[in-house]
Amino acid sequence: MTDHIDNALLRHEETLVSVRDLARPIRMGDEEPRNKYHREIKPGVWVDVYDVLAAWAVDNPALQHLIKKALQPGERGHKTREQDLADIVASAKRAQELEQ
């Protein structure tokens, strides 16, 4: 995990949450997402893509962009599936450039 406090993950009441969410923690048994970006990964455990990126310590911004698009290609309301898939390929190429 990264050393940045905003990306740090803590175990809080048996639920993995990011530090930025501790002001209003997601507790076991919550039945609805806090916003449209949260997904229930286990009963009562809600995360967003930024929690996932932090948990896997994805620090390459092009990879972060790729992952966000790959989770919902064509379903985010901005672009078609084909456009998002093309953006995913472009992000992968950019990620390689940034790693060199």
Side-chain angles (χ1 to χ4, degrees):
M1 275 191 236
T2 64
D3 292 329
H4 301 288
I5 192 72
D6 350 325
N7 292 333
L9 295 175
L10 301 175
R11 213 166 257 293
H12 181 73
E13 296 183 8
E14 299 181 20
T15 304
L16 194 61
V17 296
S18 66
V19 171
R20 69 177 183 276
D21 291 331
L22 288 179
R24 211 174 108 211
I26 299 171
R27 299 181 193 284
M28 296 300 282
D30 281 357
E31 296 177 14
E32 295 184 20
R34 186 172 301 161
N35 61 50
K36 68 180 183 176
Y37 301 107
H38 281 97
R39 296 291 183 267
E40 189 172 25
I41 59 170
K42 293 180 8 176
V45 179
W46 295 86
V47 298
D48 66 13
V49 67
Y50 299 103
D51 296 320
V52 173
L53 294 172
W56 267 266
V58 179
D59 57 2
N60 182 317
L63 282 178
Q64 292 172 345
H65 187 71
L66 181 158
I67 291 165
K68 287 189 286 184
K69 286 188 168 286
L71 290 172
Q72 286 191 286
E75 297 176 20
R76 297 173 312 116
H78 305 291
K79 296 183 178 181
T80 67
R81 182 176 179 87
E82 293 76 24
Q83 289 171 318
D84 275 341
L85 292 174
D87 286 350
I88 289 167
V89 171
S91 292
K93 290 176 182 177
R94 181 65 179 136
Q96 284 181 317
E97 292 171 4
L98 292 173
E99 297 283 331
Q100 296 175 355

